[in-house]
Amino acid sequence: MTTSHFGLPSPENAQIVFTVLNTLRKLHHVMGADYSREWWSTRNAELDSRTPSEAVIAGDHEAVARLVDSYLDPSFV
């Protein structure tokens, strides 16, 4: 397989990837990497009882990002 088989992501997909990676970075900052994996698969009332990973797959990556942002203490950001 050559690199010609891989195209550049669309601007929309690149934004989704950036949002999810930035959310993951913030989550690791708040909860630590060990708990982050469990958090992604735990149902959350703020996400209509979906897991964060289900919300991202459904296209609601911004809702997941807002949820993680709500965990951040403004004095530490």
Side-chain angles (χ1 to χ4, degrees):
M1 183 179 280
T2 65
T3 57
S4 64
H5 292 225
F6 299 102
L8 294 174
S10 69
E12 298 87 19
N13 288 343
Q15 183 61 40
I16 292 168
V17 169
F18 174 78
T19 301
V20 171
L21 290 175
N22 196 37
T23 300
L24 184 58
R25 180 189 59 80
K26 290 176 183 179
L27 191 64
H28 283 186
H29 175 73
V30 173
M31 298 183 179
D34 292 340
Y35 184 71
S36 293
R37 183 176 3 178
E38 185 175 336
W39 182 86
W40 282 98
S41 60
T42 301
R43 297 204 175 279
N44 191 301
E46 297 293 322
L47 300 171
D48 300 324
S49 296
R50 296 176 295 174
T51 67
S53 56
E54 288 171 340
V56 168
I57 290 168
D60 294 335
H61 58 281
E62 292 292 340
V64 175
R66 283 191 303 275
L67 178 61
V68 171
D69 284 344
S70 75
Y71 299 158
L72 298 173
D73 183 336
S75 64
F76 294 110
V77 178

